[in-house]
Amino acid sequence: MARVSQEHLDARRRQIMDGAALCFARNGFHATSMQDVLKEVGLSAGAVYRYFRGKEELIGAIVGEVLEWLQATFEAAAQETPPPPPDVLVGRALTQVLAQKQGGGEGEAPYFPRLIVQVWAETLRNEELATLMKQGYAKVRVAWVKIVEGYQAAGMMRDDVPADHVARVMVATAQGFAAQLALFDEVPVEALQDGLRGLMSMGKPS
């Protein structure tokens, strides 16, 4: 029997994760069955269970992958001197995530915002997922702290505000924008970037 290449295994795992994420975003975690996932990806139960034992493992893998990607993106930005300004950096990250997480049909909006809201809801009752989210959030926040410290060192930002406080607000800004995309009409990433530039331009009243 011919050996299955690692490339094939990785592609199959990617297929399952993307299909499951789309199902969770459309119908919610609890309303989605493993049978729904099998139908979405067009695979047998044996093929899917070879990679994931159930929905919990699937959602954990999806969340972990996104958090790792965001952490790597912001850690890379922290190495630049100075780091890209917040409007550029947050806009870049969101644009890339949304481009990767498109909907299942032509013209369908990216499903990532809906997925992340579903994940937040599940986090409130799933201790393992909550732990994963807290650990991932902490790592992303640490990366943002380094970025803010880079701004302060370059004279781009006042240095009398704790970098961790600024980092938390920047993470919250991205989270809030994702919630708007999921709950309300589609808003272009450029609107977030314009808003950040507007806030960054504020000075003391004359």
Side-chain angles (χ1 to χ4, degrees):
M1 181 180 295
R3 294 182 61 185
V4 178
S5 69
Q6 187 61 47
E7 182 179 357
H8 174 82
L9 295 173
D10 292 344
R12 181 56 54 84
R13 190 174 191 273
R14 170 87 277 135
Q15 176 187 358
I16 297 169
M17 288 176 63
D18 287 346
L22 189 55
C23 287
F24 296 150
R26 284 173 174 164
N27 303 315
F29 184 74
H30 293 285
T32 298
S33 67
M34 283 301 289
Q35 193 63 38
D36 294 326
V37 175
L38 299 179
K39 182 178 179 181
E40 181 69 33
V41 300
L43 296 173
S44 67
V48 171
Y49 285 113
R50 175 180 183 179
Y51 296 87
F52 302 100
R53 289 178 294 182
K55 291 194 298 182
E56 286 76 14
E57 275 198 7
L58 267 167
I59 197 69
I62 293 165
V63 171
E65 180 184 63
V66 172
L67 289 171
E68 287 177 3
W69 184 85
L70 289 173
Q71 178 189 352
T73 298
F74 295 134
E75 284 182 347
Q79 302 303 315
E80 299 183 40
T81 307
D87 60 313
V88 173
L89 183 51
V90 175
R92 178 195 302 168
L94 284 173
T95 297
Q96 292 175 350
V97 169
L98 295 176
Q100 293 175 0
K101 307 297 182 182
Q102 292 293 337
E106 185 177 352
E108 190 174 344
Y111 64 79
F112 177 75
R114 300 194 303 276
L115 174 64
I116 198 63
V117 170
Q118 298 287 355
V119 169
W120 289 340
E122 179 64 14
T123 297
L124 297 177
R125 60 164 297 280
N126 185 323
E127 291 186 6
E128 290 186 6
L129 184 59
T131 298
L132 177 64
M133 286 287 287
K134 288 177 182 177
Q135 292 173 343
Y137 170 75
K139 292 177 180 178
V140 170
R141 195 177 78 242
V142 167
W144 258 106
V145 167
K146 294 178 182 177
I147 291 170
V148 174
E149 290 173 345
Y151 295 153
Q152 293 172 335
M156 299 168 60
M157 181 180 291
R158 52 189 292 179
D159 59 6
D160 60 339
V161 177
D164 179 66
H165 294 183
V166 180
R168 289 176 182 271
V169 171
M170 294 310 306
V171 173
T173 299
Q175 291 174 320
F177 186 74
Q180 284 193 36
L181 288 174
L183 300 174
F184 310 118
D185 293 335
E186 185 175 354
V187 182
V189 174
E190 290 77 14
L192 172 63
Q193 292 179 295
D194 287 342
L196 285 172
R197 280 191 290 269
L199 291 173
M200 291 158 54
S201 69
M202 291 182 66
K204 295 181 179 180
S206 54

